[in-house]
Amino acid sequence: MSLNIPIIIKRIELIKTLISLEEEEIIAEQIIKLEDFQSNEKVNEIIILLKQKYYGEAVNQIEILINLHKQLTFWIDPEIDALKLEIKSLEVEVNNLSDEKADLEKIVHEFGIRHNQELGNLIIKILQYRKESAKGTPQEQEAEEDYNSYHKEFESSKNNEIEELTEEEQKELKSKYRKASKLCHPDLVSEEQKELATKIFAELSNAYERNDIKKIREILENLENGDFFTTKSEAINEKELLKFEIEKLRLKIKELKVQLQIIIESPTYETIISIDNWEDYFSNAKKELSSQLKDLENEE
């Protein structure tokens, strides 16, 4: 990590205060954070003293380091730090809502694939019979539209497949998807990186829907090994731009909440959450549709 003198000074001043308050447990937490800057010889010396609990000498060295840098003026508008923290908090909320939305969409997608596989051919035959029997009646146009609409949807999705995963693999898929989404969410990266992030995020979302755990692992590994994206809280330092990004994030949160509500209130999702056992549901639905088809065939 590159040296950030203002942050180092703030951190060691905090440690100095904690020493005076005898807060040893919190001091230990701050030492871990200070280790990000141990490439600085003076900082490393302070870390060693603190770990050895030579608090008196550590305070002396802290004073020396503070005085060394007093000749330089470090003034950072405190509102900028507050705005950056606000952005980080909003970024977490955006990511959590996006993950929740992805989970709901995944369930709806899986149900749709299963529905087509189990019931699609029966529904097509029933709609075809209804279309034929409606010819010359006021219901003809509606019956034709129902058939064409379902047939088009069925044909476009009948070859979609979802990989079967074990319970452990499902947990891994979800965990790794969430880690990866935090690293490449297009709404959270700097503007110049948005195009690449959008492409990677689309690949990630598609793999998640298909239970493609190999692809999820590959994307996460690439993201963790590369230095692709900078979050907006890290990239922006101008106060007005920070405020603008905060408003954008707040609008995104509102948008995601609306989208979540639309999914939750959709007939498909309401049907899904009312089902206790998918095997029983599709078995019973198949029997019912088969019975309807038989009745239509007997009417001829």
Side-chain angles (χ1 to χ4, degrees):
M1 179 179 288
S2 59
L3 286 181
N4 187 326
I5 299 301
I7 293 296
I8 292 173
I9 298 301
K10 286 180 183 178
R11 185 76 61 200
I12 61 175
E13 283 178 337
L14 173 58
I15 290 171
K16 180 184 167 188
T17 301
L18 291 171
I19 290 171
S20 69
L21 293 172
E22 301 179 2
E23 296 282 0
E24 279 200 287
E25 287 186 12
I26 306 177
I27 290 168
E29 294 172 8
Q30 294 303 316
I31 292 170
I32 293 170
K33 294 179 179 179
L34 196 58
E35 285 176 343
D36 288 336
F37 308 103
Q38 63 186 356
S39 58
N40 179 282
E41 187 178 339
K42 206 71 182 172
V43 172
N44 192 47
E45 187 178 340
I46 291 169
I47 291 170
I48 292 168
L49 290 168
L50 289 169
K51 285 184 174 180
Q52 294 175 344
K53 302 193 177 183
Y54 293 147
Y55 295 127
E57 183 57 28
V59 168
N60 287 334
Q61 293 303 319
I62 287 171
E63 286 292 341
I64 290 169
L65 184 54
I66 291 170
N67 290 330
L68 266 175
H69 293 282
K70 266 187 178 176
Q71 58 189 324
L72 300 173
T73 302
F74 299 112
W75 187 83
I76 298 177
D77 187 339
E79 190 180 0
I80 287 181
D81 285 342
L83 291 171
K84 285 191 170 189
L85 182 59
E86 191 171 340
I87 285 182
K88 284 182 181 178
S89 177
L90 292 171
E91 286 173 344
V92 169
E93 190 172 356
V94 166
N95 216 281
N96 289 341
L97 288 169
S98 295
D99 286 346
E100 187 180 348
K101 179 171 171 273
D103 288 344
L104 296 185
E105 288 174 336
K106 185 173 185 295
I107 291 169
V108 171
H109 180 70
E110 287 177 355
F111 183 80
I113 297 297
R114 181 78 182 272
H115 194 278
N116 280 345
Q117 289 174 343
E118 298 276 357
L119 311 176
N121 285 317
L122 284 169
I123 293 172
I124 287 287
K125 288 177 182 177
I126 289 170
L127 290 174
Q128 191 167 15
Y129 269 105
R130 288 178 179 169
K131 182 182 75 165
E132 294 299 321
S133 63
K135 282 183 178 178
T137 72
Q139 290 78 37
E140 180 178 358
Q141 184 177 348
E142 183 183 352
E144 178 134 10
E145 286 175 356
D146 286 345
Y147 173 81
N148 290 339
S149 174
Y150 188 83
H151 188 268
K152 182 179 179 182
E153 181 186 336
F154 176 71
E155 287 298 317
S156 66
S157 63
K158 71 178 182 180
N159 294 323
N160 289 348
E161 291 185 4
I162 296 175
E163 292 187 31
E164 292 289 330
L165 300 179
T166 65
E167 190 175 336
E168 283 302 308
E169 286 173 330
Q170 285 283 4
K171 287 179 183 177
E172 182 188 351
L173 180 84
K174 189 169 186 175
S175 172
K176 290 192 170 176
Y177 167 79
R178 293 195 167 188
K179 283 182 183 176
S181 72
K182 285 178 174 61
L183 296 173
C184 67
H185 197 296
D187 290 314
L188 307 180
V189 303
S190 59
E191 285 303 316
E192 58 269 23
Q193 297 172 317
K194 190 162 186 146
E195 186 177 347
L196 177 59
T198 300
K199 181 181 176 183
I200 295 173
F201 191 76
E203 290 180 9
L204 179 71
S205 299
N206 186 261
Y208 188 53
E209 272 196 348
R210 292 183 287 105
N211 280 353
D212 190 345
I213 194 167
K214 290 179 182 177
K215 188 66 176 177
I216 295 284
R217 286 170 181 156
E218 177 190 322
I219 292 172
L220 177 59
E221 184 178 355
N222 288 338
L223 287 168
E224 288 181 331
N225 291 338
D227 189 16
F228 295 135
F229 302 113
T230 305
T231 62
K232 290 175 179 177
S233 58
E234 296 170 322
I236 302 171
N237 287 299
E238 293 180 33
K239 190 189 292 187
E240 291 310 310
L241 284 176
L242 287 167
K243 289 179 179 178
F244 177 67
E245 289 302 330
I246 285 170
E247 287 309 307
K248 281 174 65 177
L249 287 169
R250 291 194 184 281
L251 285 172
K252 185 64 183 179
I253 287 167
K254 286 182 182 178
E255 179 188 329
L256 284 167
K257 286 180 177 178
V258 169
Q259 291 170 350
L260 278 169
Q261 202 60 34
I262 289 170
I263 295 171
I264 290 167
E265 293 176 358
S266 69
T268 302
Y269 187 74
E270 287 181 350
T271 298
I272 292 169
I273 60 171
S274 71
I275 299 170
D276 293 325
N277 185 297
W278 282 23
E279 298 299 329
D280 291 344
Y281 171 82
F282 285 113
S283 176
N284 292 332
K286 193 177 287 187
K287 287 176 185 175
E288 186 178 334
L289 290 170
S290 296
S291 175
Q292 287 182 33
L293 181 59
K294 190 174 181 180
D295 290 342
L296 289 168
E297 289 170 342
N298 290 335
E299 286 176 8
E300 286 193 327

